[in-house]
Amino acid sequence: MNNLNDPPRWNIQPDPRGREGAAGDGNQWNYALLVPMLGLAAFRWIWTRESLKEIEKVKAQYDRDVCTIQSDMDARYRDTLTESRRAAATLELELEKERQRAKGYQQALVSHSQHLIQERKQMEQEREALNDQKHKFVKCGAAGTVLHDALEKENSWYLRAAAALKELEGLLVERQNAYCSVIHPRENRLEMERNILLKVVKDPVVADLDLESDLKDIFKRDKHCADLLNMDKRKNGSLMWVYLKYWQLQITMQKHKRAEDAVTEGKMQSLKK
């Protein structure tokens, strides 16, 4: 049969003269070319089938590798997402604790400030009562002269106590500035607090005011600081200024009380004589 896909000279042509008559014109070589062509076609078919098998095998392995990588990435993503959510929940819990702690400090500071204000009002009322009593003594002639002399004697103590409070005010301003500073070492501030406590304990002028417990309360609770651009140290602190006013009223009251005690003691000695 003729193969229409092959060149005409490759077709096997029947010889009308018979095999012997065609022996000399070369048509027998057509059969010799047919065998390599069939072998080549068979090789090509086998090679194509094996190549397809290899391609399918590689594609299947690629799909498996992609599936494995995707599964691994999904697992890592879920783990990372879980850890992130856990960390966010922990941070939110810590933030809420800090908010509650700050709120508690603020409420305690407000309550303590109100208590100090009430004590200040009470001391002012006592001072007014003492002033009224002083005026009564003044109106009594000789008794008024005695009270005036006693107040003059106690005035030197009052001036020393007021100077000590003024110095203490400066130390507290510096301490609060160190507390509010972002560059001031904490150890230096603690050293300043120890020196302040030691000073008020050793100073006999303010020994009767019991400043040690009040100072410890200031160091523990007064956390008020002005804004970062503030250049005035006296704008820092809140509770310490309430205490300073309270101490000033205390020494004023102590001055009158010491004078009254001196007058009363003088009267008792006169009665004994």
Side-chain angles (χ1 to χ4, degrees), residues 99-257:
R99 288 174 180 169
Q100 294 297 329
R101 187 179 295 111
K103 184 177 180 181
Y105 286 150
Q106 185 178 8
Q107 291 176 350
L109 181 61
V110 170
S111 177
H112 197 71
S113 299
Q114 291 177 349
H115 178 69
L116 289 176
I117 291 173
Q118 292 296 329
E119 288 189 357
R120 178 184 175 184
K121 290 181 179 179
Q122 183 178 357
M123 292 184 65
E124 288 178 348
Q125 292 174 356
E126 293 178 356
R127 184 179 65 174
E128 291 177 358
L130 287 173
N131 287 332
D132 292 340
Q133 189 174 4
K134 181 183 70 173
H135 291 314
K136 290 180 182 178
F137 276 118
V138 171
K139 292 179 181 179
C140 292
T145 303
V146 173
L147 178 60
H148 180 74
D149 293 340
L151 287 173
E152 287 296 328
K153 290 180 180 179
E154 296 299 330
N155 192 51
S156 59
W157 172 87
Y158 173 80
L159 293 177
R160 292 197 305 272
L165 286 184
K166 192 65 177 177
E167 182 180 1
L168 180 59
E169 176 183 335
L171 295 175
L172 287 176
V173 168
E174 292 298 330
R175 178 264 169 195
Q176 195 68 18
N177 181 64
Y179 174 82
C180 296
S181 175
V182 296
I183 60 175
H184 204 285
R186 180 174 179 271
E187 292 75 12
N188 291 356
R189 173 174 61 83
L190 296 178
E191 182 66 23
M192 293 171 66
E193 293 176 358
R194 285 191 291 268
N195 292 336
I196 293 173
L197 290 173
L198 186 63
K199 177 177 179 59
V200 298
V201 170
K202 290 185 176 182
D203 192 348
V205 178
V206 293
D208 296 337
L209 300 180
D210 190 22
L211 301 183
E212 183 179 3
S213 59
D214 295 343
L215 287 171
K216 289 181 179 179
D217 191 45
I218 292 174
F219 298 156
K220 180 180 179 181
R221 298 180 181 276
D222 198 344
K223 303 180 183 300
H224 178 268
C225 297
D227 56 82
L228 294 176
L229 299 179
N230 173 56
M231 301 299 293
D232 188 0
K233 299 179 181 180
R234 299 179 65 84
K235 289 186 178 180
N236 294 322
S238 175
L239 184 60
M240 72 176 195
W241 296 110
V242 178
Y243 266 116
L244 284 168
K245 293 179 181 178
Y246 171 71
W247 296 334
Q248 186 64 40
L249 291 174
Q250 268 193 316
I251 63 172
T252 303
M253 188 181 70
Q254 284 286 342
K255 172 185 175 181
H256 290 84
K257 189 175 182 302

Side-chain angles (χ1 to χ4, degrees), residues 45-58:
W45 178 78
I46 295 173
W47 180 81
T48 302
R49 187 178 62 177
E50 293 298 325
S51 298
L52 290 175
K53 288 182 180 180
E54 289 295 328
I55 291 173
E56 292 297 328
K57 183 178 179 180
V58 171

